[in-house]
Amino acid sequence: MSDLLYSEEEEALRAAVRDLLTDHCDTTSVLARVESDAPHDLAAWKALADGMGLAGLLVPESRGGQGATHREAAVVLEELGRAVAPVPYLTSAVVATEALLACADGDGPLADLASGRRIGALAVGLHTAPGAGYATVRADGGALHGELTGIADAAVADVLLVPADDGGLYAVTADAVTVTPQTSLDLTRPLARVTFDAAPGRRVGDAEPAVRRALRAGAGLLASEQLGVAEWALSETVRYLKDRKQFNRPVGGFQALKHRLAQLWLEVVHLRAAARAAADALATGEDTDVSVTVAQAYAAPVAVRAAEEALQLHAGIGMTWEHPVHLRLKRAKADSIAHGTAGAHREALADLVDLRAP
């Protein structure tokens, strides 16, 4: 069994990413951005991807990347979750990158994604669970026709990886398609409809194994993002309740609130264990499917509850648009159906361990 504790290198990476996000993704900046027509923070993305080289963590050095593992990527996602950073890290550096790693002819776009020169997106709905069915477009002599919906970060992608009805995965440049924004609860990870009207595409590999690998990695590392959201909610709530006074006493001293926070702390600790196990399993290839489904079955309810508790325990100020808690609640709720619901993962887990309900 691997050591799931954070290494010194992982803690150093966390500190560097947190410092960068403190500069780029403070609450005022994120709120201003999501209220604008350009919710993505491309300056923060450039600093992460190009300046720190984090876009290529999962790509071997021989294929133009950093040659790190899912454990390091998980640390980055924890910090991005804490800050609800509006950057396409999960969609480009994890999901699209993993899809290309499974493709025989994907090295060209893979090197571009690993360097941060281009942003990629897998054209599969964000709600799709690993192993579930997904929509395809019609391929006709290298030209793609059709429409796909619920594609996360499509608005900012330079290249789309598109599954077609002939079983192929095609790389399509963003200027060859029409991207229409869809209403999204999480304003920091916008969804879009992508329309293909004889869009030229280059086949890079087979869709089925590439999509399965990409969604499994996305689901496994999403748990680390959900952990970051939950940890922020817990720590900010504890800090607020120590400062806020009622009857001349800190509100955090009331027994009922202590019990609620203690229960939440336990759940967040358990989530950390599940998320670390999933990241380590993705890195080592040991019990990967089970570890990923366990993490996703557990992560969504905890992240949502942590954000809901933060909203309630911040009282009136927590209900305001200016307070950052609503950004975390929306991210937690959107993440709870991303890459499959907790219920879908519990069903998948029952099959994996042969413990189906009677």
Side-chain angles (χ1 to χ4, degrees):
M1 181 69 182
S2 301
D3 184 355
L4 299 185
L5 298 176
Y6 299 99
S7 67
E8 287 184 19
E9 292 80 6
E10 288 164 355
E11 290 293 6
L13 174 61
R14 177 194 308 286
V17 173
R18 189 174 294 191
D19 284 349
L20 187 150
L21 294 175
T22 300
D23 293 338
H24 282 275
C25 294
D26 60 279
T27 297
T28 305
S29 301
V30 174
L31 278 171
R33 194 161 290 285
V34 298
E35 288 179 297
S36 73
D37 294 330
H40 292 96
D41 190 338
L42 294 181
W45 170 251
K46 183 174 175 58
L48 286 163
D50 190 18
M52 296 181 69
L54 300 183
L57 283 181
L58 300 180
V59 182
E61 290 182 29
S62 60
R63 299 179 74 175
Q66 302 298 319
T69 74
H70 299 80
R71 290 176 60 117
E72 287 81 16
V75 170
V76 175
L77 279 162
E78 284 179 35
E79 292 306 311
L80 295 177
R82 282 183 73 93
V84 284
V87 295
Y89 191 85
L90 182 72
T91 44
S92 182
V94 176
V95 176
T97 294
E98 286 276 354
L100 287 170
L101 284 169
C103 293
D105 299 315
D107 279 12
L110 182 63
D112 286 341
L113 263 58
S115 68
R117 288 191 299 270
R118 303 178 86 188
I119 296 169
L122 180 66
V124 172
L126 182 62
H127 63 281
T128 311
Y134 50 87
T136 60
V137 296
R138 181 169 60 86
D140 183 8
L144 303 180
H145 305 262
E147 183 177 274
L148 297 170
T149 59
I151 311 303
D153 294 335
V156 77
D158 301 301
V159 59
L160 292 154
L161 304 174
V162 187
D165 60 357
D166 64 354
L169 188 71
Y170 289 81
V172 180
T173 57
D175 56 11
V177 301
T178 303
V179 177
T180 309
Q182 291 181 276
T183 302
S184 174
L185 175 64
D186 179 7
L187 301 174
T188 62
R189 183 174 285 147
L191 306 177
R193 177 186 300 110
V194 183
T195 307
F196 302 82
D197 185 8
R202 181 173 75 82
R203 184 171 176 144
V204 291
D206 296 332
E208 199 275 331
V211 171
R212 186 175 66 246
R213 174 174 174 167
L215 295 185
R216 185 175 71 171
L221 292 182
L222 179 67
S224 291
E225 176 180 290
Q226 291 165 304
L227 170 61
V229 172
E231 286 189 323
W232 179 92
L234 177 61
S235 61
E236 281 299 304
T237 305
V238 169
R239 186 182 62 78
Y240 177 72
L241 294 182
K242 284 180 178 177
D243 291 342
R244 184 175 171 224
K245 288 187 169 57
Q246 235 179 34
F247 309 117
N248 211 28
R249 285 180 56 191
V251 173
F254 295 119
Q255 191 82 345
L257 298 189
K258 283 183 177 180
H259 285 172
R260 285 171 69 170
L261 292 172
Q263 178 62 36
L264 189 58
W265 179 83
L266 275 176
E267 292 179 17
V268 172
V269 168
H270 295 159
L271 172 53
R272 185 183 302 116
R276 290 298 290 168
D280 188 71
L282 285 164
T284 61
E286 296 176 10
D287 290 327
T288 309
D289 289 337
V290 170
S291 296
V292 167
T293 51
V294 167
Q296 270 309 307
Y298 191 75
V302 175
V304 171
R305 209 174 82 76
E308 287 175 344
E309 286 287 79
L311 183 73
Q312 290 183 16
L313 295 177
H314 274 82
I317 193 172
M319 303 289 178
T320 64
W321 181 264
E322 291 75 17
H323 196 277
V325 70
H326 70 90
L327 294 172
R328 272 74 180 185
L329 180 56
K330 289 168 183 171
R331 172 64 68 91
K333 291 292 283 185
D335 281 356
S336 71
I337 57 171
H339 297 311
T341 62
H345 285 281
R346 282 194 292 272
E347 282 201 25
L349 182 61
D351 280 334
L352 286 169
V353 299
D354 197 23
L355 276 177
R356 291 202 62 78

